[in-house]
Amino acid sequence: MHSNKILHAIALALPLAIFGCSSNPFIPSNNTSTTGNTLPSNASLKQKYADHFLVGATADSGSYITHADILKTHFSSMTTENEIKFELLQNVEGEFTFETADKMVDFAKANGMTVRGHALVWHRQSPDWLFHNAEGEPSSKEDLLAKMNNHIATVVNHFKGRVDAWDVVNESIMDNGAFRTEKEQADDQKSWWYGITGEDYIAEAFKTAHQADPQAKLFYNDYYNYIPERRQAIYEMLKGLVEKGVPVHGVGLQCHVNTERSLNPAHQSYQQTIANLEQAIQLYASLGLEVHITEMDVSIYIGGNKYEEKDFYTAGNIPEELKVKQAERYAAFFEMFRRNSDAITSVTLWGIADDNTWLSEFDSGRADFPLLFDSEHKPKKAFDAIMDF
Ligand code: GLA
């Protein structure tokens, strides 16, 4: 048995031992959804995949309550969508606000879920006091690393023993394989981390997190891993860290995809094929790293608003064939995940049900329906597809 799998088996067995069978959080005690939709007694995602990997979902400060039934019934892992990001925990320097995150993590733990902490170091949703001093000049390298280390040490220590895996560094690499810098064109693409410290912040962030909680699994997380230049650059970076003995234990593949193979037909290299993603998984696993799929959703649109689609759907008018397409896409990915479950120990959906998804907020005015449960919390064709094989 792969050592990851042994840990996984222990993780699954522990709640059984602690809680006993009757209140085992991995066996749904209540199989009725919030809308009164009755599920077959064996229709639990987490049980279906228990021999392969944990199945997770992200929740936010509202949905962990409003969608609690689905979370408890189907998911063995939970990620906080925003509540553990830098600006939510330390928006004002030195003032940590853990209250909401604590409640969410406690909920997950009370229901036997593994918790993924997302994310310690990222270029977005991070306060500007990190990167600039009072005069508006860029922070010195020493200053930025000191602020980063203080944040990581405080946060990881606070959640020690409750957060099982951390996305320590999120999205350092660009599509062309270069490190993300402060010179990127769009504001939300700029990263001062690299601009100020070069690559050094990455290794240092992992070391500081490891010191704060030596038991926690530490991940590097990124997106579009199917683009060859990106995939290779992430691999090279991780290889360098592993060779230097930096405590990195795994890699997170976000996996925001759509029902087609390509994000934008104009970009032929952006092929979201199963084979391209599988190649990334196997490449990273060859470094001895554990793989988590961390943010999966399957948009029903091919691109953003600016692309070619004319039809924007509502919950009531999604064509049947699009639902089938989405279901087939989910099934194809999950089939590949299962095939690689020696390396993959966790698969997380970015959201719980279609009434609460970042994709509907991101492209404002256009509702998207990318998850396994519909806007009324009922299981969709996509759910059936990954339960059926
Ligand atoms: C990235 C981040 C997530 C989330 C999503 C969607 O993938 O890693 O934290 O913000 O974008 O917004």
Side-chain angles (χ1 to χ4, degrees):
M1 201 188 230
H2 193 286
S3 61
N4 291 338
K5 294 285 147 186
I6 295 173
L7 284 175
H8 184 194
I10 294 171
L12 285 173
L14 260 182
L16 255 179
I18 295 168
F19 297 109
C21 280
S22 58
S23 58
N24 169 21
F26 291 90
I27 297 174
S29 55
N30 171 3
N31 63 5
T32 304
S33 82
T34 47
T35 53
N37 177 56
T38 303
L39 303 168
S41 58
N42 62 352
S44 150
L45 270 177
K46 66 186 176 192
Q47 285 177 315
K48 170 79 182 171
Y49 286 92
D51 290 342
H52 301 284
F53 37 71
L54 300 176
V55 187
T58 16
D60 64 28
S61 57
S63 68
Y64 87 98
I65 299 167
T66 54
H67 298 58
D69 281 357
I70 304 182
L71 273 176
K72 289 196 268 188
T73 302
H74 289 286
F75 294 99
S76 42
S77 173
M78 195 183 99
T79 303
T80 50
E81 184 164 350
N82 290 302
E83 293 70 11
I84 288 183
K85 288 175 180 169
F86 208 121
E87 70 175 10
L88 275 292
L89 291 184
Q90 197 192 174
N91 201 30
V92 176
E93 187 169 9
E95 287 179 23
F96 286 87
T97 44
F98 288 118
E99 202 186 335
T100 308
D102 274 340
K103 283 187 193 150
M104 295 177 71
V105 171
D106 288 349
F107 163 86
K109 285 289 148 194
N111 289 289
M113 294 180 220
T114 288
V115 176
R116 302 196 79 264
H118 173 86
L120 293 167
V121 175
W122 193 27
H123 58 284
R124 301 179 68 181
Q125 294 183 263
S126 301
D128 197 52
W129 58 258
L130 265 173
F131 308 116
H132 294 97
N133 64 21
E135 287 74 49
E137 289 150 1
S139 303
S140 68
K141 176 171 177 177
E142 201 185 14
D143 188 28
L144 178 56
L145 290 178
K147 289 168 178 168
M148 177 190 83
N149 285 331
N150 179 53
H151 182 82
I152 294 177
T154 307
V155 171
V156 174
N157 189 51
H158 178 85
F159 291 107
K160 192 171 180 170
R162 294 190 295 153
V163 167
D164 306 273
W166 284 99
D167 288 330
V168 178
V169 176
N170 195 26
E171 303 181 350
S172 292
I173 305 280
M174 298 295 291
D175 290 356
N176 63 4
F179 278 97
R180 180 188 299 280
T181 73
E182 79 286 10
K183 300 195 177 69
E184 310 308 333
Q185 282 183 352
D187 273 355
D188 63 355
Q189 296 288 312
K190 294 183 196 300
S191 172
W192 284 94
W193 291 109
Y194 184 87
I196 294 173
T197 82
E199 284 179 55
D200 292 354
Y201 75 99
I202 300 173
E204 185 137 343
F206 279 95
K207 286 180 196 161
T208 306
H210 186 59
Q211 235 172 21
D213 185 357
Q215 303 303 320
K217 295 259 181 81
L218 305 183
F219 283 72
Y220 172 76
N221 192 49
D222 216 327
Y223 62 100
Y224 293 177
N225 311 76
Y226 40 81
I227 298 176
E229 294 80 4
R230 233 175 198 285
R231 180 173 61 214
Q232 190 62 25
I234 292 170
Y235 169 78
E236 300 293 345
M237 183 192 73
L238 291 169
K239 186 163 179 277
L241 294 176
V242 168
E243 282 170 359
K244 282 189 216 110
V246 174
V248 51
H249 309 121
V251 55
L253 280 62
Q254 295 187 4
C255 206
H256 295 290
V257 294
N258 61 42
T259 49
E260 302 290 338
R261 311 169 86 207
S262 146
L263 184 68
N264 173 354
H267 292 168
Q268 283 312 310
S269 66
Y270 284 39
Q271 292 293 317
Q272 310 173 343
T273 60
I274 306 290
N276 268 345
L277 201 72
E278 185 167 24
Q279 211 175 321
I281 290 165
Q282 292 178 353
L283 197 60
Y284 304 147
S286 74
L287 293 170
L289 295 173
E290 202 167 317
V291 175
H292 283 185
I293 305 299
T294 51
E295 307 188 16
M296 185 176 190
D297 45 25
V298 180
S299 169
I300 61 170
Y301 303 104
I302 298 173
N305 270 339
K306 53 191 176 298
Y307 301 129
E308 79 285 8
E309 283 122 328
K310 300 281 179 292
D311 296 325
F312 293 173
Y313 300 107
T314 61
N317 74 357
I318 305 167
E320 211 49 29
E321 63 181 51
L322 198 48
K323 293 183 187 170
V324 171
K325 223 178 193 183
Q326 184 185 48
E328 286 170 355
R329 190 89 162 123
Y330 262 111
F333 272 105
F334 268 73
E335 196 271 323
M336 184 271 278
F337 295 156
R338 271 185 10 177
R339 198 162 61 233
N340 289 280
S341 62
D342 257 4
I344 299 175
T345 50
S346 172
V347 175
T348 291
L349 281 296
W350 199 253
I352 305 163
D354 285 346
D355 59 331
N356 185 2
T357 161
W358 75 287
L359 287 169
S360 296
E361 294 153 20
F362 175 71
D363 273 324
S364 55
R366 186 183 74 170
D368 205 340
F369 305 90
L371 296 163
L372 299 173
F373 296 87
D374 71 15
S375 307
E376 297 183 333
H377 300 189
K378 294 193 181 114
K380 292 164 57 176
K381 281 195 162 47
F383 173 89
D384 294 340
I386 64 170
M387 292 295 288
D388 276 357
F389 63 93

